[in-house]
């Protein structure tokens, strides 16, 4: 399947769906091969011990980032995921030792995120960086790197099919590993919140 143009003009639903499934399969396989289990464990340990977690990203990556934020909140973690540049800068300035940053940039070229790195370094905040191997090379010296499939073109594409599913997979794996380390505590918080968050009629 062509990662950047997985279907052609006039194709019907059966073929579009099959091509997207092939794209997802290839992307997840690539990402699984690139994702270092030791780095994933280190990232999960950082999140499990963090006093406060801040998620930094922009553009389409805000969607999986906000989902990670919601999941972390659902197990009682102190976490923010601000959309606006000014709020992200101020949050970085207010960070300190004991906090952890999750930074998401597929290419590592985002100038705003690269402005944040020195601020976090000055405050000794470890950064978990989610991006391609090229993004890692562009932003050396961070605490942990969680690599994603890098076959998607940065511009010559229909949309971010591959990078979205790769980032989502890595963030889900990160949340799962952190939950596993804090299983009893996280499950207890989930169960405590159920009477307040359960949908009406869901009991049946």
């Amino acid at each position: 399947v062509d990662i950047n143009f997985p279907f052609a003009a006039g194709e019907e639903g059966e073929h579009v769906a099959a091509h997207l499934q092939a794209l997802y399969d290839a992307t997840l396989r690539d990402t699984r091969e690139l994702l270092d289990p030791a780095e994933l464990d280190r990232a999960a340990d950082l999140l499990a011990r963090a006093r406060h977690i801040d998620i930094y990203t922009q553009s389409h990556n805000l969607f999986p980032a906000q989902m990670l934020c919601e999941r972390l909140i659902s197990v009682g973690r102190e976490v923010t995921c601000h959309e606006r540049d000014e709020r992200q800068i101020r949050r970085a300035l207010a960070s300190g030792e004991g906090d952890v940053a999750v930074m998401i940039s597929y290419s590592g070229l985002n100038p705003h995120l690269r402005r944040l790195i020195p601020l976090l370094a000055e405050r000794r905040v470890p950064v978990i960086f989610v991006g391609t191997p090229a993004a890692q090379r562009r932003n050396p010296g961070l605490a942990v790197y969680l690599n994603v499939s890098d076959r998607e073109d940065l511009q010559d594409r229909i949309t971010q099919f591959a990078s979205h599913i790769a980032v989502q997979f890595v963030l889900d794996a990160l949340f799962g590993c952190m939950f596993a380390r804090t299983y009893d505590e996280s499950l207890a918080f989930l169960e405590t919140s159920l009477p307040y968050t359960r949908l009406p009629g869901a009991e049946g």
Side-chain angles (χ1 to χ4, degrees):
V1 64
D2 186 328
I3 295 294
N4 300 298
F5 293 89
F7 48 84
E11 285 195 313
E12 307 240 342
E14 178 183 358
H15 298 104
V16 170
H19 294 325
L20 286 176
Q21 180 182 352
L23 181 152
Y24 282 9
D25 289 345
T27 300
L28 292 175
R29 184 171 57 251
D30 288 350
T31 300
R32 183 66 185 84
E33 291 173 359
L34 287 169
L35 187 60
D36 184 340
E39 290 285 278
L40 186 58
D41 286 336
R42 277 193 285 272
D45 288 339
L46 285 171
L47 290 192
R49 297 194 305 265
R51 177 184 63 187
H52 188 99
I53 301 164
D54 294 294
I55 305 171
Y56 297 100
T57 193
Q58 288 185 323
S59 187
H60 64 97
N61 283 322
L62 278 165
F63 300 109
Q66 287 170 344
M67 186 172 290
L68 175 63
C69 183
E70 289 293 327
R71 288 175 175 163
L72 290 169
I73 290 172
S74 77
V75 294
R77 296 286 155 176
E78 294 284 342
V79 57
T80 63
C81 181
H82 295 301
E83 294 185 26
R84 288 169 45 197
D85 293 354
E86 295 89 347
R87 286 191 177 185
Q88 292 187 19
I89 290 290
R90 288 177 179 136
R91 182 56 219 160
L93 289 167
S95 297
E97 291 188 69
D99 298 335
V100 172
V102 178
M103 190 169 288
I104 307 165
S105 178
Y106 182 78
S107 65
L109 294 170
N110 188 320
H112 174 66
L113 295 184
R114 296 178 76 178
R115 283 194 297 270
L116 289 165
I117 290 174
L119 295 179
L120 296 167
E122 287 169 7
R123 287 151 184 80
R124 298 183 179 179
V125 177
V127 175
I128 300 167
F129 194 95
V130 179
T132 62
Q136 176 178 345
R137 292 190 294 273
R138 292 176 181 126
N139 298 276
L142 302 180
V144 179
Y145 293 92
L146 303 179
N147 288 330
V148 302
S149 175
D150 61 353
R151 289 202 283 157
E152 182 179 272
D153 193 275
L154 297 182
Q155 292 183 304
D156 190 16
R157 63 193 176 194
I158 292 176
T159 190
Q160 302 94 344
F161 288 126
S163 58
H164 171 80
I165 200 68
V167 168
Q168 185 68 67
F169 171 72
V170 167
L171 296 182
D172 285 350
L174 176 57
F175 174 78
C177 288
M178 189 224 69
F179 194 107
R181 280 160 173 69
T182 59
Y183 200 92
D184 292 340
E185 174 190 349
S186 295
L187 189 59
F189 189 91
L190 277 173
E191 291 174 343
T192 300
S193 69
L194 282 178
Y196 305 96
T197 59
R198 183 181 285 117
L199 293 173
E203 297 84 354

